[in-house]
Amino acid sequence: MDLLARTTRTGRTGGGLAGHLRDPARVVFLALFALLAAGWLIVALDGGRFLTLESVVGIQQRSAALGIVAIGQTLAILAGSLDLSVAYLISLTSLVAAEVMAGQGGNVVAACAAVLAVSALVGLVNGLVITRLRVHAFIATLGVGLIIKGVVDHLYDGPAGEVPESFQLLGYARAGPVPVSAILWAGVAVAAWVLLARTRLGHRIYAVGGSEDVARLSGIRTSRVIVITHVLCSLCAGVAGLLLAARLGAGAPTVGPDGGYDLESIAAVVLGGTALAGGRGGVAGTVGGVLLLAVLDSLFNQLEVDSFAKDVVRGAVIVVAVAVYARRGTRRAT
């Protein structure tokens, strides 16, 4: 148990819980507030208003699906893995949801159960390919994603199925200024935070990501932990697929790749301070990273910035953030 405790603490912090878990989250939220202030000033000088009720609601709605996927991606990355199949899984689950709802007379429960079952199966396959066949997570999840893409492309040429109006409320209804989709995202984030901070599985996720060999010597079934994180990550992608089906009113075979949810989710996780090598980071930083990207998009849209400049700035922000985290980690290590 002493070795497990040392492994967990080292995997999480590398020398201090506050140093590695809190600082990156604090930095990304400070950057978020600075961006909000700068955006308000820039738009005001341009003769417009930035933080209107409409723009705030839009930011929340745009960030919800990406945020849910990024939470799942956080769990996988913390365990030292990642998932590139989420974008294609989102497309598949949106189609499954819409098709089941159309075929079952709008049966939302059956559709949600089908989506969660398909998502869990994909996550299980990802985890087993990584742990049993010893295929690197990048290749394994990319391969599974391409298999899903092939199936979807073969079966669908365009939108399919139909979502009842009652379920579409998930994508558009609001409680005051807060969309229901944002509440769903907040619920997923809180559940993931509790999992990581208050459960034995959470400690083991950090331990496996910090050092899989040491975690194994500590008695942790590392393969089981990796499989569980991939199942949870795929379940999050399935929930995002349900949300997008509610917004579109149907399933769409390209909604996941078109939204870039695979790389965007990884970017948000890294931007929030979670190390790609695993073992360091957390949900709070990911939430900040998602909001930062959403606010940046909203600002670009209001200023009518072209897509090329958007990608350049977003890429530069991510590179600078990772460089800052890396330099801070090097200084602490020395």
Side-chain angles (χ1 to χ4, degrees):
M1 289 301 295
D2 291 339
L3 180 57
L4 173 58
R6 287 197 300 272
T7 302
T8 303
R9 287 196 297 270
T10 303
R12 280 183 170 185
T13 68
L17 181 62
H20 284 285
L21 285 181
R22 296 179 182 174
D23 281 357
R26 185 181 302 146
V27 168
V28 75
F29 276 103
L30 287 174
L32 174 61
F33 293 137
L35 178 62
L36 287 170
W40 178 84
L41 179 60
I42 293 170
V43 174
L45 292 174
D46 196 42
R49 294 179 60 195
F50 180 44
L51 294 178
T52 62
L53 177 61
E54 182 181 356
S55 65
V56 171
V57 170
I59 289 171
Q60 294 178 80
Q61 289 178 330
R62 281 193 296 271
S63 62
L66 175 60
I68 293 170
V69 180
I71 295 299
Q73 198 76 257
T74 301
L75 299 176
I77 291 176
L78 282 173
S81 190
L82 55 78
D83 192 342
L84 292 177
S85 68
V86 290
Y88 302 111
L89 180 57
I90 287 172
S91 295
L92 175 63
T93 52
S94 75
L95 290 162
V96 169
E99 292 274 40
V100 173
M101 288 183 196
Q104 296 288 331
N107 193 328
V108 172
V109 175
C112 291
V115 164
L116 294 180
V118 170
S119 301
L121 178 61
V122 171
L124 180 62
V125 171
N126 279 331
L128 291 177
V129 170
I130 293 168
T131 58
R132 300 299 184 188
L133 300 183
R134 294 297 174 185
V135 179
H136 191 277
F138 183 97
I139 301 300
T141 58
L142 178 61
V144 171
L146 291 176
I147 292 173
I148 296 172
K149 179 180 183 297
V151 171
V152 170
D153 288 346
H154 176 70
L155 296 177
Y156 298 97
D157 295 326
E162 184 178 357
V163 175
E165 292 184 5
S166 59
F167 190 70
Q168 292 182 36
L169 294 175
L170 177 63
Y172 294 101
R174 285 163 35 188
V178 182
V180 173
S181 57
I183 297 174
L184 176 63
W185 174 32
V188 172
V190 170
W193 179 84
V194 171
L195 171 68
L196 292 173
R198 298 286 185 264
T199 69
R200 183 175 296 180
L201 175 60
H203 292 288
R204 290 175 176 175
I205 289 173
Y206 279 108
V208 172
S211 175
E212 186 175 351
D213 291 335
V214 175
R216 187 181 297 108
L217 292 174
S218 302
I220 297 175
R221 296 182 178 180
T222 57
S223 295
R224 178 179 295 181
V225 171
I226 293 172
V227 170
I228 290 174
T229 58
H230 274 281
V231 170
L232 292 174
C233 182
S234 293
L235 287 173
C236 287
V239 173
L242 283 169
L243 175 57
L244 292 172
R247 285 187 187 169
L248 297 172
T254 60
V255 65
D258 287 350
Y261 289 101
D262 43 7
L263 299 182
E264 286 276 332
S265 61
I266 295 173
V269 172
V270 173
L271 192 58
T274 296
L276 271 176
R280 291 184 288 120
V283 171
T286 297
V287 171
V290 171
L291 291 175
L292 186 63
L293 292 176
V295 170
L296 202 58
D297 275 344
S298 179
L299 178 60
F300 285 155
N301 290 337
Q302 194 155 348
L303 295 175
E304 298 181 351
V305 177
D306 64 83
S307 58
F308 172 76
K310 286 183 186 180
D311 291 339
V312 170
V313 173
R314 286 160 66 90
V317 168
I318 294 167
V319 170
V320 170
V322 174
V324 169
Y325 296 147
R327 287 177 62 85
R328 180 177 290 121
T330 303
R331 289 174 180 173
R332 286 198 179 97
T334 57

